[in-house]
Amino acid sequence: MRTLDDRLAPVIAHRGASADAPENTLAALRAAAAAGATWVEFDVKLSRDGHCILLHDDLLNRTTDGRGEAAHYDLDELRRLDAGGWFGHRFRGELVPTLQEALALCVELDLDINLEIKPCRGRQHETAISVVKELHQHWPGDRPWPLISSFAIASLEEVRKLAPEMPHGLLIGRPTRRALGMLDRLACSTLHCDAKWASAELVRHLTESGRPLLCYTVNDASRALRLLEMGVRAVFTDRPQMVAEALAARDARQGQ
Ligand code: G3P
Ligand code: MG
């Protein structure tokens, strides 16, 4: 089986192709595949009754027609919400996906996954435990594990303990010395940081320990190219098609 570094693609569709379809929905995953992306990132948290769902914010307000904390609703209540209408009329009726549905669709569309554990307050352990359990139950044994990431250290510790076979990366805004010092302890395969803190020096430092650097969120194609030329292994973008086309045009210019 190929290593994670070999498998990674330079372009990762952020929350699906979230400039083309409502973020963290099945439509956004389909849009990513239609845009030619081979990797998608999405955010996972828990319903009140402990089911893994795709959602970025703790609150339902921005991306659904619901109100208040997602963690205050059971899955069957969340499934009655509309998670697409806010983005555009034609997406009305999109549901808040379950992780199980998203995994099945990614297998069908042959998409590699960066699964971000995005726990609601106080649920860092429980969310990681549920994610690992669902991956163990539903992820096909003949496919490489999704890359897991989180800002929540407690979630990464749980992944490390329960599923050391699953590659996981530390998500961070600014890669401080303290954050870099945690990579070994958490057995991280990757570092994911805000693109504004990427530097050639950081790439060099990470390369010494064989860790790719992934940067979010880059919606400007020339900036994406500069980062990739610097040695950043992948960029998260809401516009995967635009970035991939810019990359292809650069490669064509360079005669590759
Ligand atoms: O995983 C990269 C990126 O998604 C992290 O930030 O807030 O978009 O989940 P956010
Ligand atoms: Mg995310």
Side-chain angles (χ1 to χ4, degrees):
M1 211 175 265
R2 291 189 301 152
T3 65
L4 174 66
D5 199 14
D6 289 341
R7 279 200 297 128
L8 275 169
V11 180
I12 301 180
H14 180 239
R15 310 181 193 172
S18 56
D20 300 330
E23 64 179 59
N24 285 318
T25 62
L26 298 184
L29 301 180
R30 287 196 192 93
T38 55
W39 275 77
V40 288
E41 184 260 8
F42 53 73
D43 307 294
V44 175
K45 56 173 82 271
L46 293 180
S47 62
R48 176 168 59 190
D49 52 346
H51 292 276
C52 292
I53 54 164
L54 271 58
L55 193 70
H56 180 274
D57 301 357
D58 283 358
L59 294 178
L60 294 164
N61 303 35
R62 184 177 62 88
T63 59
T64 77
D65 60 354
R67 291 290 170 266
E69 308 262 348
H72 292 173
Y73 293 87
D74 287 344
L75 180 62
D76 64 340
E77 297 169 304
L78 294 171
R79 295 285 280 180
R80 291 201 282 273
L81 301 178
D82 183 324
W86 67 276
F87 189 87
H89 184 72
R90 73 188 174 97
F91 294 104
R92 268 200 196 155
E94 275 303 314
L95 302 183
V96 173
T98 62
L99 174 57
Q100 196 178 336
E101 285 175 331
L103 295 177
L105 183 59
C106 288
V107 170
E108 183 189 320
L109 298 174
D110 198 20
L111 289 168
D112 269 304
I113 297 172
N114 171 205
L115 187 167
E116 180 186 343
I117 300 177
K118 192 78 130 182
C120 292
R121 234 170 313 122
R123 303 186 88 182
Q124 289 91 336
H125 289 277
E126 159 190 21
T127 309
I129 291 167
S130 297
V131 163
V132 165
K133 188 169 160 202
E134 292 213 11
L135 285 172
H136 277 146
Q137 277 173 348
H138 302 299
W139 192 249
D142 59 349
R143 296 181 77 92
W145 292 109
L147 169 62
I148 298 175
S149 61
S150 192
F151 288 103
I153 303 300
S155 294
L156 290 179
E157 281 170 341
E158 208 63 68
V159 172
R160 181 189 177 208
K161 191 173 73 191
L162 297 174
E165 71 280 16
M166 295 182 193
H168 51 276
L170 176 63
L171 246 171
I172 201 89
R174 184 179 187 167
T176 57
R177 194 180 291 264
R178 187 166 164 273
L180 295 175
M182 284 194 290
L183 295 173
D184 280 339
R185 183 169 67 77
L186 294 167
C188 287
S189 301
T190 50
L191 178 70
H192 310 204
C193 79
D194 187 323
K196 72 179 173 205
W197 300 110
S199 67
E201 190 193 344
L202 177 61
V203 170
R204 261 196 310 278
H205 175 83
L206 292 169
T207 305
E208 280 168 21
S209 55
R211 292 187 174 101
L213 176 64
L214 291 71
C215 289
Y216 63 87
T217 304
V218 187
N219 290 328
D220 176 285
S222 18
R223 186 165 179 230
L225 292 188
R226 282 198 302 277
L227 288 161
L228 295 167
E229 271 155 26
M230 187 193 283
V232 170
R233 184 67 183 85
V235 292
F236 298 93
T237 178
D238 304 334
R239 303 181 179 281
Q241 186 160 356
M242 182 188 73
V243 176
E245 282 172 0
L247 256 178
R250 183 204 62 183
D251 290 348
R253 276 196 307 276
Q254 294 174 349
Q256 291 174 356

